[in-house]
Amino acid sequence: MSGLTCYRWRLAPDGLATRRQLRAMGLRPGGQDVVAEVHRPRRRRGPLVAYLYRVDRAKPVRAMTPARAAALAAAMRARRTCPNCLTDAGYCIPRSLGMCVPCHDSL
């Protein structure tokens, strides 16, 4: 256990949120430190831990710039392009296969 305040699952007070919850509100932690933890118990393993941030100190999510949008589009295009047949598969190529499904099935 860490030195942070710990809450049980679904019992965190208002005003605290996880990164995912902040993102759903259009916010980001903005460099602030973790304030508390939420522990979700599991039967045969250790608990799942989620870190909580203060909502009042959160900053708005940065706007998508044209350069960031172009870089994201290029990265997704690279993930969809089969290295074997060099075509856009229309979906992200599975890393376990390393090529599109038709090329893998033809082997």
Side-chain angles (χ1 to χ4, degrees), residues 2-3 14 27 31-33 37 39 51-52 59 65 94 105-106:
S2 66
D14 293 337
L27 301 171
Q32 65 175 301
D33 291 329
E37 296 178 345
H39 290 250
Y51 299 109
L52 298 173
K59 296 180 180 177
T65 63
D105 289 345
S106 67

Side-chain angles (χ1 to χ4, degrees), residues 1-99:
M1 290 264 206
S2 66
L4 296 173
T5 306
C6 296
Y7 296 103
R8 291 195 46 88
W9 188 248
R10 297 182 189 255
L11 296 178
D14 293 337
L16 299 180
T18 63
R19 281 181 177 268
R20 192 171 284 194
Q21 290 169 335
L22 287 175
R23 186 63 182 208
M25 292 184 258
L27 301 171
R28 61 185 169 95
Q32 65 175 301
D33 291 329
V34 175
V35 177
E37 296 178 345
V38 173
H39 290 250
R40 180 179 179 201
R42 297 190 292 180
R43 291 180 188 229
R44 293 185 178 94
R45 293 182 277 174
L48 291 174
V49 177
Y51 299 109
L52 298 173
Y53 301 90
R54 290 181 50 169
V55 176
D56 59 346
R57 290 189 185 170
K59 296 180 180 177
V61 175
R62 294 185 188 115
M64 182 68 76
T65 63
R68 286 178 66 195
L72 181 61
M76 292 306 293
R77 191 177 327 104
R79 288 183 66 192
R80 289 191 315 264
T81 303
C82 176
N84 202 20
C85 62
L86 301 177
T87 59
D88 187 343
Y91 55 87
C92 289
I93 305 293
R95 288 180 18 184
S96 60
L97 300 179
M99 59 186 77

